[in-house]
Structure formats: structure tokens, C-alpha cells
Amino acid sequence: EDQVTQSPEALRLQEGESSSLNCSYTVSGLRGLFWYRQDPGKGPEFLFTLYSAGEEKEKERLKATLTKKESFLHITAPKPEDSATYLCAVGTGNTPLVFGKGTRLSVIA
Amino acid sequence: DGGITQSPKYLFRKEGQNVTLSCEQNLNHDAMYWYRQDPGQGLRLIYYSQIVNDFQKGDIAEGYSVSREKKESFPLTVTSAQKNPTAFYLCASSKLTSGNTIYFGEGSWLTVV
């Protein structure tokens, strides 16, 4: 069974304090690993898709990386507006994406 | 603008009543999905559809029903058989189910009293 585990469940950072969120996965035949951002009471917003080990993608203060067993979302010098829940999901075969439970990030000014 | 529209945003219903949540997309996507989100539970798949007039059960389909009569529309009915229906419901769509990015609507809050 495909599984996605995100850690930590919650993370509190001071503004400017860089850190990383982890997404580990156990799947047969990865077709893509996806990162989303979700603000309270809103639908998830797509951030990145990674397809193969070694791939990296960046957007503003966020950089996503992928290995054969896990993905990291690195946040460099975060600002309060980066506070949100970050969701990781994997796509395999011909089935819908499997989501992790997310990491709640709080950035304090 | 292209996107996914869910309605209503907030819905209150009495226990025992069926309710239908609307989802419309104008992205020309083939696949559509319904997820349920509870605090600390992440996203759980209720139903999905890859083509008109066909749909499959997800992980938590009991107490829910769907239809896919048009490519653009995928309504979800929460029936009285659903034991704990109060939740945040998210509709999504994608080009295909196989590893393609899915895009979400803004969600619908259902409260059953």
C-alpha cells in the first residue's frame, strides 16, 4: 500500500529562520511527487511537481528536492506570510494522488 | 478565469437530511475528485471520476454518492447514512489520474446539527 508520511506535524519558526519540511514515501512506481500550500479554510494551492530523484525546483523562498525515498521542502528566510499547512502527495500508476497529513508551519515576526 | 467552483461555501443541515455539494470546472479536465478533510486527518478520497458516466469509490465512500453526467460537473451527495458528515469538502480536477497535477476548488464547509 502506498504511504506518505510528513514531518514534523507542526513547526514554529522565527522570521528569517530557515528550515526544512520532510515528506517520506513508500510507493511502487513513483509517477510524481507534489507539494501544495493550504491556508486555513481554503483549498490547497499547487506549488511543485518533482518526477525523478535529484530533481529540484524553486519558487521564491521555497525549494523542493527529491530522493528515492523522500522529498524536502526547504524554506529560506521565511516571512510570516509563509505560514500555512504544506501538503505532500505522490502519484503512482493510474490511481489518484495519495496525500500526507501535512505540516503546519507558523512563522513568527 | 479558468478554475474549479464549489458551492455553497457554507452549508448547515439537520441530521438525517441529504445534502448535495456542487462542483464545476472549466479547465477541460477529464478527471474529477472529491476529498474530505478533518483536523489532523489530511485529505481522504471519497470518489473520483476519469470519464463521463463513470466513477470509482475512494477510501471513504460509504454514505456518499456522486454522478458525472457532464465533463464539467461532479456533484457530491452526502446522505443520511454518513455517520459523521460535518467536515470540509474539497473538489479537485486533473487532466488524467496517472501522476498529473490536481487542482482544487476553494472547498465547502458542511455542518450537520
Side-chain angles (χ1 to χ4, degrees):
Chain A
E1 182 180 333
D2 299 334
Q3 288 192 330
V4 179
T5 304
Q6 292 188 245
S7 62
E9 289 186 14
L11 181 62
R12 186 181 174 99
L13 300 173
Q14 292 293 320
E15 184 173 4
E17 179 187 2
S18 302
S19 187
S20 297
L21 313 182
N22 177 264
C23 172
S24 62
Y25 59 91
T26 306
V27 299
S28 53
L30 182 70
R31 294 287 186 93
L33 186 137
F34 303 80
W35 282 99
Y36 291 83
R37 169 193 169 125
Q38 186 177 24
D39 292 305
K42 299 283 185 75
E45 174 190 351
F46 170 70
L47 293 173
F48 306 108
T49 307
L50 302 168
Y51 291 105
S52 57
E55 189 175 357
E56 300 183 351
K57 288 192 176 173
E58 291 188 61
K59 180 180 180 179
E60 297 181 357
R61 294 176 293 282
L62 301 177
K63 183 170 82 171
T65 62
L66 181 65
T67 72
K68 289 186 178 180
K69 293 184 178 181
E70 58 191 349
S71 176
F72 292 93
L73 185 65
H74 307 278
I75 303 176
T76 302
K79 298 182 178 182
E81 52 262 41
D82 294 321
S83 298
T85 295
Y86 291 86
L87 299 170
C88 168
V90 295
T92 65
N94 197 32
T95 56
L97 301 187
V98 176
F99 282 83
K101 293 185 177 182
T103 294
R104 293 189 313 277
L105 175 66
S106 299
V107 182
I108 311 303
Chain B
D1 285 347
I4 301 168
T5 302
Q6 291 188 239
S7 63
K9 179 68 176 179
Y10 300 97
L11 186 60
F12 295 86
R13 279 295 181 267
K14 292 184 178 180
E15 195 170 332
Q17 291 182 331
N18 292 353
V19 298
T20 297
L21 306 180
S22 170
C23 179
E24 303 277 334
Q25 55 98 0
N26 61 4
L27 300 170
N28 198 31
H29 284 168
D30 295 302
M32 296 187 73
Y33 315 81
W34 276 104
Y35 288 89
R36 169 178 171 146
Q37 189 172 36
D38 298 282
Q41 293 289 323
L43 298 177
R44 292 186 289 169
L45 183 65
I46 304 173
Y47 270 98
Y48 66 102
S49 168
Q50 297 175 267
I51 194 170
V52 173
N53 293 323
D54 188 40
F55 45 83
Q56 288 76 43
K57 292 182 179 180
D59 300 319
I60 57 165
E62 185 176 351
Y64 299 97
S65 66
V66 293
S67 63
R68 187 89 187 273
E69 297 178 0
K70 299 185 300 181
K71 185 176 182 178
E72 302 80 15
S73 179
F74 192 41
L76 173 73
T77 297
V78 184
T79 75
S80 57
Q82 168 51 233
K83 297 187 186 309
N84 186 19
T86 295
F88 188 49
Y89 291 89
L90 286 160
C91 179
S93 71
S94 71
K95 289 184 179 180
L96 292 168
T97 55
S98 178
N100 275 284
T101 302
I102 68 172
Y103 297 90
F104 287 87
E106 285 297 294
S108 293
W109 288 94
L110 172 63
T111 302
V112 176
V113 295

